[in-house]
Amino acid sequence: MGAAQITTARLVPFRRGDKWGYADPSRRLVLPLLYDEAGPFVNEVAWIRQGLLYGYIDGAGNAITPVQFSRAGNFHRNRATVALNGETYDLDTSGNRLRTPPEPEPESDFLTQGDVTHKDGKVGFRFTVGTAVVPPIYDEIRENYNGLLFVRQGPKWGVLNDKGKAVLPLELDAIRATEATGFEQPVVEQQGRFGYLAADGHLLVPPKYQAAEPFVEGVARVTTVDGQVGYVDDRGREFFE
């Protein structure tokens, strides 16, 4: 199967040694190991780095821009921010410079699942649908798109499902789940190591990385404890060797 038959949504940045290319979901190399670093495909475009400079390619590996930028980012709402010769500006997905400012972020359409209850300085939760009630024994409660509740007692966080039952015990030091960081696979921290939650609240990847970035188009950039950078997909599989 050639590169043209693989959609960019299925291509994952793949590192082998010090070189990067792109692999399909089976970890089979599709775009060759030509780069010193590579980013995820967003809006059919990905950034790549060769030496100290960055550029953008399409899903067949064709250049959309020259490799000339000192900084380049992922596309978001059809814009990516780059730096060139000390100037910072945005590009469209064709590599053209944008002269208009970005539109304001749309307001979230997130609807709460119920109401937080309070008693003696603690908080609980009463679900709007059904009869489930979380007793007021926690210091903080947050919710996400998948019907989960993130609960904190003292310094430790755990996860409850939409029935108020514990999915993950109170053993995490932090759960990072906002609209900006991505609700689907929140970043979790334990003893200075980072991993991810799955959509059902269980651990997708146990906390084992030195750093873990939010998911973008089904992949996330991680740094191992020995400083190696790579990507994992939304099934927790590593795309680096």
Side-chain angles (χ1 to χ4, degrees):
M1 183 178 293
Q5 296 173 279
I6 300 291
T7 64
T8 59
R10 296 175 58 209
L11 292 179
V12 182
F14 182 85
R15 178 178 60 79
R16 179 176 291 155
D18 294 330
K19 288 297 181 180
W20 293 69
Y22 288 85
D24 66 15
S26 299
R27 301 177 82 249
R28 183 179 66 87
L29 198 62
V30 175
L31 297 184
L33 302 164
L34 298 176
Y35 311 111
D36 296 312
E37 196 172 1
F41 275 97
V42 182
N43 299 126
E44 307 297 322
V45 181
W47 60 262
I48 50 88
R49 178 175 63 83
Q50 291 179 316
L52 298 177
L53 298 179
Y54 297 82
Y56 289 89
I57 62 171
D58 65 16
N62 300 313
I64 290 176
T65 71
V67 179
Q68 62 181 357
F69 304 108
S70 58
R71 181 166 65 87
N74 296 329
F75 274 87
H76 176 63
R77 302 180 69 201
N78 297 312
R79 306 174 74 100
T81 301
V82 297
L84 178 65
N85 298 327
E87 186 180 8
T88 300
Y89 55 91
D90 287 353
L91 299 178
D92 66 16
T93 53
S94 297
N96 301 313
R97 180 169 179 167
L98 291 169
R99 304 289 179 178
T100 56
E103 295 180 2
E105 291 283 345
E107 293 186 8
S108 171
D109 59 357
F110 178 65
L111 300 177
T112 61
Q113 305 170 73
D115 301 306
V116 174
T117 60
H118 300 264
K119 183 179 180 181
D120 299 330
K122 298 292 184 179
V123 293
F125 199 82
R126 183 182 298 110
F127 288 90
T128 302
V129 178
T131 60
V133 173
V134 176
I137 58 175
Y138 299 103
D139 296 301
E140 187 176 354
I141 293 179
R142 292 187 284 136
E143 57 186 352
N144 81 339
Y145 284 133
N146 291 325
L148 301 174
L149 295 180
F150 304 138
V151 295
R152 178 176 62 84
Q153 275 186 346
K156 296 297 183 181
W157 288 86
V159 181
L160 308 181
N161 63 19
D162 58 3
K163 301 296 188 293
K165 302 300 183 182
V167 177
L168 205 64
L170 294 156
E171 59 184 16
L172 299 171
D173 298 322
I175 301 176
R176 298 205 307 269
T178 66
E179 189 167 15
T181 60
F183 283 108
E184 294 302 316
Q185 294 91 16
V187 179
V188 298
E189 180 181 359
Q190 186 178 43
Q191 297 179 346
R193 295 287 183 259
F194 299 88
Y196 296 95
L197 284 184
D200 63 1
H202 292 92
L203 287 174
L204 174 69
V205 179
K208 63 178 182 177
Y209 296 116
Q210 177 178 301
E213 297 183 10
F215 270 80
V216 176
E217 297 293 326
V219 298
R221 180 186 175 94
V222 297
T223 305
T224 65
V225 292
D226 58 356
Q228 298 295 312
V229 176
Y231 280 79
V232 298
D233 69 5
D234 53 11
R235 294 172 60 184
R237 297 176 300 180
E238 296 180 337
F239 282 73
F240 50 90
E241 295 175 355

